Structures are given as structure tokens and as C-alpha cells.
Amino acid sequence: MANIKAAQVKELRDKTGVGMMDAKKALVETDGDLDAAIDYLREKGVSKAAKKADRIAAEGLANVYSSGNSAAIAEINSETDFVSKNEKFQNLVKNISKTIVENKPATVEEALEVKMEDGTVGSVITEATQTIGEKITLRRFAILEKNDGEVFGDYEHMGGRITVLALVEGTDNEEVARNVAMHIAAIDPKYITRDEVPQETRDHELNVLSEQAKNEGKPANIVEKMVQGRLNKWLAEISLVDQPYVKDSDKTVGQYLKENGATVKSFIRYEVGEGIEKRSEDFAAEVQSQLGKK
């Protein structure tokens, strides 16, 4: 058997766009012959997945899986929202979240190399891309660890389009933690408390509010009070504990937590596709263009 070098694997990946493990396997099977390895990948259908590598995957699902004192939230993307209704895709998302909790990789790259029942995470995603017919990617994940006396709260909105993992301390009441996660999913706070807002972020907002007040032509002695009032309002809007509780607007989230002897230690909120520049296309026109190629 040929001694496969890293440079050979890289060259094959560059030429085909397949994952590292698929490239290495192809070279092993063909005794290091690059051209034969390319044919091998084509014969196995792996290169079909590579052809989808330049597509934009901005749909999909996010999922939370917890086991003992560990929990993970992961976002797996697809090209269309139709795929999120596919049972195979839904099971893939759950299995990847479970695998991440069990193995605790540090990066997406490490996660792709973790072994699952039917191969690595990366190879399983490649197989799903071929079967489902859309580009599928593991975009991001995060892992939280809790201590005894703390509890995880998770909530999935629209089946996983918006997903939250929260860590709550001071209580073992899972319903309280879930209610907080539900609020975070609905209202999208940026920080737990206003004390967490970076000074740079505060200063930027203060400058914007000051310019707004000046442009309104208010007297100088009024401007300062107006700006401080608006800054406080803005801080309350982005801080979890200051927000009106979504299930009872007569109290804040902070008051709800205090009633239950709890505090939020951390939270992660994933909204599928956020930050990805989505391709805007006329779907009917795309179908027509494909028909025209027949």
C-alpha cells in the first residue's frame, strides 16, 4: 500500500472539493494515483457533493442535546427550508448534536473528524448531501457545562429555526429555565444584564443618541437628560433581566427569576442563517432555467 502524504491529500481535495477523509480513502484505494483517485470519487458519487460546494446554505435547523452536566447547541444548514421538514435531515441534526456533547470537539473542523456510527461527522454530512440533493454544512456549535444546583433550559421555535440553550443557577426547576429560554427566543436580548454591555458599545450608542438630540434642536440643558433617558431605555431593551417577561409583561425577567431564586449564568441563541448573505432568486425562473438546459 502506498504511503499517502498530506500534500497528496491536499491536492486531491483542492481538485475535487471533497472532505479530508474521503480524499485520503480514495488515495489509499488507488495506491496514491491522483487521476485514479478522482475517478474513484466520481464512481462513488462523492464528487457530486463537491459540485454543491459553491452553493449558499442558509436554511436548516438548530438543535439542543443535553446529557448529564453537558449540553450542546448546533446549527446545521441546508439550501432550502424544504429540507428542514425531511426526516433524514432532522435525524442528522439530532445525531450531530448528540455526537458533539459526547465528544466535546473544540472547533467545527475537529467536529467534522469525530466518528459517528456510520463514519465521521464530515462523511455523514457528505453522504446526506448526496442523498438529499442539497449542500449541507455544520455551521457552528457551542457547548455548556453545568454544576449540580444548576439547570439547562432549552427552547426551539418553529421546529428549530430559532433555538436557545440557557444555563440557570440557584434552582433545579427545569420549567423556569425553559421559560427563560422561551423569552430569549422571542425577544432576542443581547446581554444578561446592562453591566455586561461593553463600554465601547455604550459610547457608540451615546454618541448616536447625542447627535440625534442635537439635530432635534433641543436646548443644551435638556439634551443631556434626554440622552441619558434614551440610553437607559436602550440598555433595558437589550438586557435580558430588564426586559418585560414575555409570559407576564407586568414583571421583568429579572423579577421572574428573583421570585424563583434563580439567575441566568449564560445563554446562547441561534437563529438559523443569521449573518449569512442569502441568495435572492426567483424560484420559478430558476426552475425554468433548469428546464431550458434539458
Side-chain angles (χ1 to χ4, degrees):
M1 184 175 67
N3 182 24
I4 307 302
K5 295 181 172 59
Q8 292 173 280
V9 176
K10 182 179 185 304
E11 185 176 2
L12 183 57
R13 291 187 68 190
D14 290 343
K15 286 181 177 292
T16 62
V18 301
M20 183 177 73
M21 298 305 293
D22 287 320
K24 184 175 181 180
K25 181 179 180 182
L27 287 165
V28 169
E29 293 291 331
T30 58
D31 291 327
D33 186 317
L34 183 64
D35 291 334
I38 293 172
D39 290 339
Y40 174 88
L41 289 170
R42 290 183 61 196
E43 290 163 7
K44 295 296 182 182
V46 178
S47 60
K48 291 180 182 179
K51 292 177 182 178
K52 298 177 175 64
D54 62 344
R55 296 188 185 177
I56 298 173
E59 302 295 338
L61 295 173
N63 175 252
V64 168
Y65 182 88
S66 63
S67 177
N69 284 347
S70 301
I73 180 171
E75 178 183 345
I76 290 83
N77 295 131
S78 59
E79 293 178 59
T80 68
D81 60 353
F82 297 110
V83 169
S84 64
K85 301 176 179 66
N86 181 299
E87 185 177 359
K88 181 178 178 67
F89 180 76
Q90 293 172 351
N91 289 334
L92 173 68
V93 172
K94 292 175 184 177
N95 288 335
I96 289 176
S97 300
K98 181 174 183 287
T99 299
I100 288 171
V101 168
E102 293 173 343
N103 293 273
K104 298 181 175 60
T107 65
V108 169
E109 289 72 24
E110 283 186 21
L112 293 174
E113 301 300 328
V114 173
K115 291 188 180 299
M116 299 177 70
E117 185 176 344
D118 299 321
T120 64
V121 171
S123 66
V124 169
I125 288 175
T126 297
E127 189 275 332
T129 295
Q130 295 171 236
T131 303
I132 295 173
E134 287 193 11
K135 178 182 178 181
I136 295 171
T137 59
L138 168 59
R139 182 189 181 194
R140 55 182 174 169
F141 69 87
I143 300 171
L144 291 183
E145 302 285 349
K146 75 176 182 68
N147 300 314
D148 295 336
E150 298 174 343
V151 63
F152 292 125
D154 66 272
Y155 186 79
E156 295 182 5
H157 179 60
M158 297 174 63
R161 293 285 301 170
I162 298 174
T163 300
V164 173
L165 171 60
L167 176 56
V168 176
E169 57 185 349
T171 180
D172 58 0
N173 190 327
E174 293 183 358
E175 183 181 0
V176 172
R178 178 174 170 78
N179 283 339
V180 171
M182 180 192 300
H183 174 95
I184 293 167
I187 308 301
D188 191 18
K190 303 304 180 186
Y191 306 92
I192 298 174
T193 71
R194 62 180 62 199
D195 293 336
E196 294 180 352
V197 181
Q199 190 61 48
E200 182 180 355
T201 304
R202 286 171 178 258
D203 291 343
H204 174 77
E205 185 67 17
L206 188 62
N207 289 334
V208 172
L209 294 174
S210 296
E211 288 302 316
Q212 286 179 348
K214 290 175 184 177
N215 291 335
E216 291 172 10
K218 302 293 184 182
N221 62 325
I222 300 294
V223 167
E224 185 175 352
K225 290 182 179 178
M226 180 187 297
V227 169
Q228 284 302 318
R230 290 178 179 179
L231 181 65
N232 285 329
K233 182 175 182 293
W234 173 76
L235 288 169
E237 289 172 349
I238 64 173
S239 304
L240 172 64
V241 298
D242 291 332
Q243 293 177 338
Y245 178 39
V246 73
K247 295 181 74 173
D248 183 355
S249 59
D250 288 335
K251 66 180 70 172
T252 64
V253 175
Q255 289 170 330
Y256 171 72
L257 288 165
K258 187 175 181 180
E259 288 173 0
N260 290 278
T263 57
V264 176
K265 194 171 182 179
S266 61
F267 72 83
I268 301 156
R269 182 185 188 274
Y270 282 173
E271 185 165 346
V272 171
E274 60 187 346
I276 299 176
E277 185 176 347
K278 300 184 181 182
R279 179 178 54 198
S280 177
E281 291 184 343
D282 183 330
F283 183 69
E286 181 182 358
V287 172
Q288 191 60 44
S289 70
Q290 293 299 318
L291 291 173
K293 294 177 182 179
K294 300 294 185 182

